Amino acid sequence: MPDPLWPLRELWLARQLARAQRGDRDAFRQLYRALYPVVWRFVRRRAQSDAAAEELLGQVFFQLLEALPRIDPSRGVRGYVLTIARNALVDEARRTQRAAPGELAEQQASLQPGALELLTTAEETARLGKQLATLPEQTREWLLLRFEDGLRFAEIAQLTGASEAAVRQRVSRAVRELRGNWPEELRREFGAP
C-alpha cells in the first residue's frame, strides 16, 4: 500500500542526504536505517535467495555512498536508491543468465502475488496469479512496484524511465481489468464495479 506520509518522508530523506553530502556520518546512518527496509523488500522479492539479496543490498548502499556527492536531493532519494537497486539486480540477472539461462527464465515466469494472499483464498490467489501472468511483463512489474513495494506513480516513473501519466494509466487499467475478473462477492467486498 502506498505510503500516505511519502512527501514528508521524502523531504526528510532529502535533508539527510544533503547533510550526508556535507560529510555528516550520522545523517548517512539515518539514511541507511530509513532506506534499508524499502530496499530490502524491493531486492528480496526479486533476488534468488536471502543471501543473494543481502549481497545486493550491500552493493546498493556502497554505490549510494560512492555516488553521494553527485545526487540531487530534489529528484527523489528513495527513487534514486531503488534505481541503484534495480540496476544491481539487472547486473546480477545478466551474470546469472550467462551461468544458467533456463533457470532464470523459469524464475522470471513465476509470479507470486504476496500481499494478496492475505485477502483471498488459495484458489482465488491462484486465479489472480494466472490473470497477472497474462498481463505484459512491464505491467506486472509496475503493479508489484505500486502495491507490493508501495511506490508512488512518480517513483515508478523515475525508476523505469516512463512518464508518470503512462504508469498511472497502465496500472489503473490493469487493476480495473483484474477486478473485472474477480468473483462477485470479492468485487462487492472491495468496492469494485
Side-chain angles (χ1 to χ4, degrees), residues 27-159:
F28 188 80
R29 278 192 289 276
Q30 295 292 331
L31 269 176
Y32 177 83
R33 286 184 190 126
L35 292 169
Y36 183 92
V38 173
V39 177
W40 171 256
R41 257 191 335 269
F42 182 84
V43 170
R44 180 56 195 112
R45 189 165 47 82
R46 292 163 178 84
Q48 295 178 1
S49 66
D50 282 350
E54 287 174 13
E55 184 177 324
L56 286 166
L57 200 63
Q59 290 175 21
V60 168
F61 284 104
F62 181 74
Q63 288 178 18
L64 175 64
L65 187 58
E66 283 186 325
L68 205 57
R70 299 182 307 274
I71 302 171
D72 179 2
S74 68
R75 299 212 46 201
V77 177
R78 189 165 77 160
Y80 185 88
V81 173
L82 290 178
T83 300
I84 294 173
R86 184 194 65 185
N87 292 340
L89 284 160
V90 168
D91 291 344
E92 180 64 24
R94 286 182 184 145
R95 281 191 296 275
T96 305
Q97 193 170 23
R98 279 185 232 126
E103 202 174 297
L104 181 65
E106 284 178 27
Q107 290 173 355
Q108 289 176 341
S110 69
L111 181 62
Q112 300 297 322
L116 293 175
E117 290 174 345
L118 299 173
L119 301 174
T120 61
T121 66
E123 183 179 295
E124 290 164 341
T125 300
R127 188 179 315 134
L128 181 58
K130 288 178 186 175
Q131 289 175 359
L132 285 169
T134 66
L135 295 173
E137 183 179 342
Q138 185 181 51
T139 303
R140 284 194 315 262
E141 180 64 17
W142 290 0
L143 284 167
L144 291 172
L145 288 169
R146 177 73 174 150
F147 297 107
E148 190 75 18
D149 293 321
L151 299 184
R152 302 179 76 68
F153 293 118
E155 291 174 306
I156 297 169
Q158 179 185 4
L159 185 63

